[in-house]
Every structure is written in C-alpha cells, then in structure tokens.
Amino acid sequence: MDVHELLAALRAAGVPDGYYWIEGVHEPAPTPPDFAYLRKDRSGAWETGTYERGRHHALGRDTDEAEGCARLLRLLI
C-alpha cells in the first residue's frame, strides 16, 4: 500500500477527513486541532503519530512506506 491507496482505504472505511493528515496527499485546511498523521522524517523514515495541543507525538517509524501506511490504517480503523 502506498499513501494514495491509504487515503482511498480511509475514505472507503468512512474515517472523517479531519481525523488524519498524510504528508503531500491529504493535508486538511484549516488544520484540525488533533489528528493522526503519516509523514517522512529527516532520515527518510515514515513517521506515524498523533498531533495534539500543537505538538507532534511519534508513535512509530518505518523504513518502508507500506509499513507506515499499514500502521496509520490500524490506528484509525
């Protein structure tokens, strides 16, 4: 699964758009106050986490895009 397939899977599952942020693919505007996210970190790994109270909280890092996508999908479904 890549980030575009992840977006399709989340929408198919009925997860509201404001619950998640996927770097470069789904970045809601205005930015919700709290959400789960998937983004690349400085090392190129895929970071999955939550954004709450103005801070990112990493929950996991994966070197493979598919693994990062699967992690976010598990968090939200």
Side-chain angles (χ1 to χ4, degrees), residues 18-65:
Y19 284 17
Y20 57 92
W21 186 90
I22 305 168
E23 183 177 60
V25 176
H26 177 75
E27 300 176 6
T31 303
D34 303 307
F35 54 87
Y37 68 86
L38 177 63
R39 67 180 183 176
K40 276 197 168 182
D41 67 13
R42 291 183 179 142
S43 71
W46 291 91
E47 179 182 286
T48 306
T50 58
Y51 180 85
E52 300 173 286
R53 299 181 183 185
R55 298 190 63 190
H56 288 92
H57 305 278
L59 300 174
R61 286 185 176 73
D62 298 288
T63 57
D64 183 70
E65 180 178 1

